[in-house]
Structure formats: structure tokens, C-alpha cells
């Protein structure tokens, strides 16, 4: 039996420059996908996988993110007085229990690995999950819950894996795995953003990880890697070299890259279409629009 994973780290310190000017005053994680902030999708996925302790690695200017998870007594009282029960429940579902959520600061942008390392004292000697909120995954069974089930069999470390086009491999952490069609893939190595044409496979790491405390330890003594940043991938590569207990997990679901404008828009359309109260109207609008565009060509 593996130790249960109850803690998750959410690196949210990034400046969100790709979404300027919107992110000048609003943290990227608060940007809205249909009607919920991006971060809510990651939180819900973590909860569904059994996570009870949520650790946010933040930076200056992320105050709105902290407030979002607090109780809003005035708002709740107003909704209650007006008998808006459904809205009240919706708002209350975003409240986090006292003490369930912790914030640590990353005071210098030294990379994803460094951001995760900032949570080391709160993680201690336990396995932990990492969720990158930019990666939004639509799935019948949430991605992290799929991984927690697989991890119960394997232990070690597990990282969400997805096939990418060869020309995209240099944008990801790429797994070195033997050719296989299975879901759980023992890794022989991992490389962050390989130079074009040098990737060991086309299997990319997506932002869901279950990691052992050893990886946290490696993060404390690896040198800066690609882009001069402390890379999470490099700490995982060291763990593979030492123990060979790292697995890629080919998840069932569709991943949207909400760190890019195109991916955010695609997710907005897909999640809108999937909603019973919005889908039919949105679908009509999209097909009318496509027809108009084709007619104009
Ligand atoms: C990060 C990781 C990379 C991973 C990617 C998934 O990269 O460093 O290994 O493949 O997230 O989204 P970033 O997108 O922050 O450049």
C-alpha cells in the first residue's frame, strides 16, 4: 500500500505576460473559463483525487487569488436575504476550510522547479501532487484521480503524459520511454525542452505530477537548467537515474493549454459547448458564424 497523497502544490507565481494587458491587475489564474476562474478547475480536480491540503506558491500581486478562496460574508448574507439559494451554494463551494490552504511566496522567478521547492517545509517527508493550473484537462474521470489510482499500484513518481507533434516537443518536458501502448510507462530519462530533432520520444509531460519527497530533495541541489531556470524535469531526471521509479501516465482526457491565448479560447468554446444551459445556443452561433465566413470567401 502506498502512502496516500493528500497535499498538492499549485505554482501560481508567474506574471502571466502572455495575457497582458489583462494580467496587469488580475492574476492569470483568476481569468475566467466560462464562469469560473482557471484555478477553480485545478482545485476541483485535486479535491476529486483526495487532496485535502492545498499549497499555493504565489508572488507579488496575487492578492485576488487569496481572496477568492476566503469566505465572503457580505455577499453570502445578501444572497441569503434575497433567497438566491443556488448562487449562495455556488459561492460557498469556493470557500476553503480554515487551514486547508496555505500560501508560500516565491520571491524571485527562478523557474518551476524552484517554485515547487518553495513548498518544501509544508510537504515534509510525504508524497505530493503538483498541478499546473494552465493545463486544463477535460476528462470523465479527472486526470489526477486516474493517476492516484495508478500510483496506488506502482508507488514511486507519476507524471501525466501526452503525445505531441514532433515539432512541438521542444516546448515540453519530454519522456524517454520504451515504445509501448500501455498507460503506465516506466521512464528511462526525461529532458526539458529538448532542441528540435533531439527528443527521445514525442511523449510530453503535462502539468499533473505525483512526486516523492526525494524529488523535493533533488530540487534543493540541482543547478539551473534550460533557460537558466531550476527545472522540475531535471530533479525528476535525477530521481530516474538514481532509482528508476518514475512512470509516465498516459491519461484519458483532452488537455487544453490555457497558458496560451489560442488554448484558452479553445477551452472556452469546448467547455461552453459541454454545458447544458449554454451549449445549444453557442453551437448555433458558431455554425452561423462559420457559414457567414464561408459565404464571404
Ligand atoms: C512546464 C514544464 C514542462 C511541461 C509543461 C507542461 O513547462 O517545465 O516540463 O511539459 O509545463 O505544460 P512550461 O509550460 O512552464 O514552459
Amino acid at each position: 500500500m502506498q502512502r496516500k497523497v493528500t497535499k498538492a502544490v499549485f505554482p501560481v507565481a508567474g506574471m502571466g505576460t502572455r495575457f497582458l494587458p489583462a494580467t496587469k491587475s488580475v492574476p492569470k489564474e483568476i481569468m475566467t473559463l466560462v464562469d469560473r476562474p482557471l484555478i477553480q478547475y485545478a482545485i476541483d480536480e485535486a479535491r476529486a483525487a483526495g487532496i485535502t491540503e492545498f499549497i499555493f506558491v504565489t508572488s507579488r500581486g496575487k492578492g485576488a487569488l487569496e481572496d477568492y478562496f476566503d469566505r465572503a460574508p457580505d455577499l453570502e448574507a445578501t444572497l441569503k436575504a434575497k433567497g438566491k439559494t443556488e448562487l449562495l451554494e455556488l459561492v460557498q463551494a469556493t470557500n476553503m476550510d480554515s487551514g486547508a490552504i496555505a500560501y508560500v511566496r516565491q520571491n524571485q522567478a527562478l523557474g518551476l522547479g524552484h517554485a515547487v521547492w518553495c513548498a518544501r517545509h509544508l510537504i515534509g517527508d510525504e508524497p505530493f501532487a503538483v498541478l499546473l493550473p494552465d493545463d486544463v484537462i477535460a476528462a470523465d474521470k479527472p486526470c489526477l484521480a486516474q493517476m492516484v489510482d495508478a500510483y496506488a499500484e506502482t508507488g514511486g513518481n507519476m507524471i501525466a503524459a501526452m503525445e505531441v507533434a514532433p515539432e512541438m516537443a521542444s516546448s515540453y518536458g519530454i519522456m524517454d520511454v520504451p515504445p509501448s501502448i500501455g498507460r503506465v510507462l516506466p521512464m528511462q530519462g526525461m529532458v526539458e525542452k529538448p532542441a528540435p530533432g533531439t527528443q527521445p520520444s514525442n511523449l510530453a509531460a503535462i502539468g499533473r505530477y505525483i512526486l516523492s519527497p526525494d524529488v523535493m530533495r533533488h530540487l534543493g541541489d540541482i543547478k539551473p537548467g534550460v533557460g537558466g531556470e531550476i527545472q522540475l524535469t531535471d530533479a525528476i531526471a535525477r530521481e530516474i537515474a538514481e532509482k528508476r521509479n518514475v512512470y509516465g501516465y498516459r491519461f484519458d482526457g483532452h488537455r487544453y493549454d490555457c497558458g496560451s491565448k489560442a488554448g484558452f479560447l479553445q477551452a472556452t468554446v469546448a467547455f461552453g459547448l459541454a454545458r447544458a444551459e449554454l451549449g445549444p445556443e453557442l453551437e448555433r452561433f458558431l455554425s452561423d458564424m462559420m457559414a457567414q465566413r464561408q459565404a464571404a470567401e
Side-chain angles (χ1 to χ4, degrees), residues 215-234:
V215 171
M216 192 63 99
R217 191 168 46 75
H218 299 319
L219 281 171
D221 57 37
I222 57 171
K223 298 270 170 300
V226 171
E229 297 189 337
I230 303 285
Q231 297 290 352
L232 184 55
T233 295
D234 294 346

Side-chain angles (χ1 to χ4, degrees), residues 186-203:
M187 286 166 59
Q188 299 165 336
M190 191 172 171
V191 40
E192 182 67 14
K193 303 196 170 70
T198 67
Q199 65 267 29
S201 77
N202 292 324
L203 212 58

Side-chain angles (χ1 to χ4, degrees), residues 112 132 135 172-173 192-193 205-207 209 231 233 255:
L112 174 62
L132 308 186
D135 284 332
Y172 292 93
E192 182 67 14
K193 303 196 170 70
I206 296 305
Y209 307 76
Q231 297 290 352
T233 295
R255 172 258 189 176

Side-chain angles (χ1 to χ4, degrees), residues 12-135:
V12 290
M15 297 214 305
T17 43
R18 280 200 258 178
F19 286 93
L20 280 170
T23 47
K24 192 177 157 195
S25 65
V26 179
K28 181 177 62 173
E29 298 75 20
I30 290 291
M31 285 177 28
T32 314
L33 187 50
V34 186
D35 55 6
R36 299 190 299 161
L38 205 51
I39 191 67
Q40 185 74 52
Y41 293 85
I43 293 282
D44 289 349
E45 187 180 328
R47 273 207 185 113
I51 300 297
T52 52
E53 289 178 60
F54 303 80
I55 303 162
F56 283 70
V57 183
T58 69
S59 59
R60 184 175 295 275
K62 298 282 178 169
L65 191 59
E66 302 196 11
D67 291 345
Y68 174 76
F69 292 109
D70 253 354
R71 290 193 57 196
D74 292 350
L75 176 63
E76 289 176 30
T78 309
L79 293 173
K80 200 170 173 191
K82 292 192 172 158
K84 303 207 166 184
T85 324
E86 262 180 52
L87 280 180
L88 180 63
E89 280 168 12
L90 205 63
V91 167
Q92 284 175 336
T94 65
N95 299 345
M96 292 292 230
D97 290 343
S98 289
I101 190 159
Y103 301 93
V104 292
R105 282 277 180 130
Q106 183 189 31
N107 62 14
Q108 255 185 303
L110 297 179
L112 174 62
H114 180 263
V116 171
W117 182 74
C118 290
R120 64 198 178 282
H121 297 306
L122 295 170
I123 295 298
D125 194 27
E126 287 184 43
F128 60 102
V130 176
L131 292 96
L132 308 186
D134 276 358
D135 284 332

